Amino acid sequence: MGTDLARPRVRPSVYRTTASLAIACCLAVGVLAGASVGVGGVGTGDVVLQEEAVDPDDVLITVEIDADGDAVWSIEYRTRLATDDNETAFEAFRSDLEANPEAYTDRFRERMETTVAESASATGREMSVSNVSVTAERREIPQEYGVVVYRFRWNGFADVEEGRITAGDAIDGLFLDEESSLTLSWPESHELAEASPDPTERRDGAVVWVGPTDFTAGAPRITAERGSVVTAVPSWLPLLVGALLLVGVLAAYARRDRDATPDAA
């Protein structure tokens, strides 16, 4: 697989929120397909791939937000290995990745750093990128897929004030195509207070939007607040307390009955 900047044709991005975010995601799709990638310049969003590029069947974007407002991002590209061409392209990518992982992580990091810098400027919040990695593996889900996952830590992704987490302004106006989904999760110490627009799916500790979705200005957004002391108590503790109370009551009745019984002559 080459790293030359060939420019055979223009292809739309997997999703867009800023030009450089689109570039970063198309870069990942391009390397998955064994394609060369060219960038027409930050600000144009022009990303071109080779004609034989393989489109992913699913793109799962997962954002795990912690209590400090940092978030671990995973962008997972799944391509069904239903043809010899798809399988050959995936195996070629995996071989190149194992031989030289920095060639992929470094390029992806550069583009995400551009994106994060733009988001920091737009939100007025300090942000940075760290812990960039990429993996490739075959999975059965249940058919066999080639799965490529880009991961990185977006420091300062969400705003946190007095324990209240507000997230989404850093990806304002995000676009999800029909193969893509976005999952935002929050720490167990918090509870969801608001999500906008209404998510496609609500899970325990997370919300999911499934494309095609073109978020308007001010979306997507979630707000999570610290849970009450009661919700933080382990579920088994009330049962233990109840059992101890029951044992105490039974012991009291037994003692009363023993005290009321006359001593034997």
Side-chain angles (χ1 to χ4, degrees), residues 54 79-93 138 144:
V54 178
T79 299
R80 187 177 176 188
L81 304 180
T83 67
D84 291 341
D85 288 343
N86 283 8
E87 186 165 359
T88 299
F90 175 76
E91 289 302 333
F93 167 78
R138 299 172 74 118
E144 192 166 26

Side-chain angles (χ1 to χ4, degrees), residues 5-224:
L5 301 184
R7 294 176 175 273
R9 67 188 180 100
V10 176
R11 172 177 164 177
S13 62
V14 174
Y15 67 103
R16 68 177 184 276
T17 179
T18 65
S20 54
L21 184 54
I23 290 169
C25 291
C26 278
L27 168 68
V29 175
V31 294
L32 167 60
S36 298
V37 180
V39 179
V42 175
T44 66
D46 294 335
V47 179
V48 292
L49 306 179
Q50 289 182 344
E51 201 70 39
E52 63 268 27
V54 178
D55 289 326
D57 295 286
D58 300 292
V59 182
L60 283 62
I61 307 166
T62 303
V63 184
E64 301 176 14
I65 307 165
D66 65 24
D68 295 327
D70 299 341
V72 175
W73 275 61
S74 298
I75 306 175
E76 181 173 313
Y77 299 89
R78 296 179 175 178
T79 299
R80 187 177 176 188
L81 304 180
T83 67
D84 291 341
D85 288 343
N86 283 8
E87 186 165 359
T88 299
F90 175 76
E91 289 302 333
F93 167 78
R94 185 161 67 167
S95 295
D96 282 359
L97 173 63
E98 292 173 353
N100 189 13
E102 291 81 7
Y104 299 95
T105 56
D106 289 351
R107 294 168 68 193
F108 189 74
R109 181 187 296 105
E110 289 173 2
R111 285 155 177 80
M112 290 315 306
E113 285 175 345
T114 299
T115 295
V116 170
E118 292 177 357
S119 294
S121 178
T123 61
R125 199 161 58 248
E126 185 175 347
M127 299 180 179
S128 63
V129 174
S130 62
N131 300 343
V132 178
S133 67
V134 57
T135 59
E137 64 180 9
R138 299 172 74 118
R139 294 184 199 166
E140 293 186 2
I141 9 180
Q143 295 87 5
E144 192 166 26
Y145 282 77
V147 180
V148 176
V149 184
Y150 281 78
R151 292 185 178 88
F152 65 98
R153 188 173 187 85
W154 187 325
N155 304 298
F157 173 75
D159 180 60
V160 179
E161 186 174 350
E162 297 182 354
R164 181 185 178 95
I165 299 172
T166 303
D169 58 346
I171 52 172
D172 199 65
L174 183 72
F175 171 76
L176 300 174
D177 69 12
E178 61 274 8
E179 288 116 14
S180 305
S181 66
L182 169 68
T183 301
L184 295 182
S185 67
W186 50 90
E188 294 181 356
S189 57
H190 287 62
E191 296 177 342
L192 182 66
E194 184 179 0
S196 177
D198 192 38
T200 307
E201 181 182 351
R202 293 175 183 262
R203 300 175 182 171
D204 185 17
V207 291
V208 183
W209 290 276
V210 176
T213 300
D214 197 350
F215 293 104
T216 59
R221 291 289 189 279
I222 66 163
T223 300

